[in-house]
Amino acid sequence: ATPIAKAVVSTQSTGVFAVFYIVAATIADFYKLKPHVTEEIMFPDIGMMPIMQFLPVFTLGFQCHMTSVPLYYELSNRSVKRYSFVILVASFLVFILYMLMGVYGLKTFGPDVNPDILLDYEAKDELMTIARVCLSGSIIGCYPIFAYLGRGAFEDTVIQVADKAGRQLERNSELRRALTLLIWHALAIGVALITASLGKVLAFV
């Protein structure tokens, strides 16, 4: 694999460990806390519209992820069949992990469970403190990959616009790369500061 692919593997390994740990900690806390949820869990009849609104997010996140194509071309022994198998296995694992997280979250806290389940656990819960650290590490590890892809998309757009205007720009300019990353980082911090919850982001998407 190329250096970029190796870097992706090393950073994403942290994310994979974090996901498995958080799910395992949620299950372990259920048996440790032994909650007594007596209130019946009711699932409201919300219709098909919320489900249809969620489908684009799911499709973007797991089937048409922006890292898929660039990472595929970074692999040394790539094939569509092999890559498709990896995506199917990964999607199945994600489904199982999400289901376990949801089931044990409901079994632990009942219908009042917070959408961000980590907020429901006390600060003195050592298992969940480690889970929060793992989640933070996973997000930090993912950031360089998204920044790399965003930078590439922005640079391609700038070069195409310059070509149409009759100007030739150097590809992979260090100055433009640095400015792009600074702008990307500033926008990411700005959005994080003004966005109260992930639900608003998903509604916008």
Side-chain angles (χ1 to χ4, degrees):
T2 64
I4 294 176
K6 291 179 180 179
V8 169
V9 170
S10 62
T11 55
Q12 290 305 291
S13 297
T14 305
V16 172
F17 170 78
V19 171
F20 276 94
Y21 177 84
I22 292 171
V23 174
T26 302
I27 297 173
D29 255 18
F30 169 75
Y31 291 104
K32 184 179 75 172
L33 297 174
K34 294 183 173 59
H36 298 283
V37 179
T38 57
E39 185 178 352
E40 183 180 359
I41 299 174
M42 302 294 294
F43 295 94
D45 184 13
I46 59 176
M48 289 297 296
M49 185 55 67
I51 298 175
M52 298 302 294
Q53 291 175 338
F54 173 74
L55 279 178
V57 178
F58 181 84
T59 302
L60 175 65
F62 298 106
Q63 306 299 325
C64 303
H65 205 286
M66 55 185 164
T67 60
S68 294
V69 175
L71 291 182
Y72 173 75
Y73 282 99
E74 292 292 338
L75 300 177
S76 55
N77 298 319
R78 59 178 178 265
S79 70
V80 175
K81 183 178 180 180
R82 183 181 175 193
Y83 199 62
S84 299
F85 175 76
V86 171
I87 291 176
L88 287 174
V89 172
S91 299
F92 177 74
L93 283 175
V94 167
F95 170 75
I96 295 297
L97 292 171
Y98 274 40
M99 183 179 66
L100 288 173
M101 194 78 178
V103 168
Y104 279 93
L106 281 172
K107 285 168 68 70
T108 303
F109 299 106
D112 296 326
V113 62
N114 196 303
D116 185 353
I117 192 173
L118 292 179
L119 296 177
D120 285 330
Y121 293 96
E122 297 180 358
K124 62 182 180 181
D125 191 324
E126 295 179 356
L127 283 176
M128 287 303 164
T129 299
I130 297 174
R132 294 182 183 98
V133 173
C134 289
L135 183 61
S136 300
S138 173
I139 295 172
I140 293 172
C142 291
Y143 187 84
I145 301 170
F146 294 121
Y148 165 75
L149 295 170
R151 187 193 73 200
F154 177 79
E155 184 172 11
D156 288 342
T157 303
V158 170
I159 291 175
Q160 289 177 10
V161 171
D163 286 342
K164 291 182 179 179
R167 296 183 58 188
Q168 295 293 327
L169 294 180
E170 177 189 356
R171 186 174 287 274
N172 294 323
S173 167
E174 290 188 6
L175 177 61
R176 189 166 60 248
R177 190 162 61 232
L179 288 174
T180 302
L181 288 176
L182 286 173
I183 294 171
W184 179 282
H185 190 61
L187 289 174
I189 293 176
V191 172
L193 288 174
I194 64 175
T195 305
S197 67
L198 187 60
K200 294 184 177 181
V201 179
L202 296 179
F204 174 77
V205 174

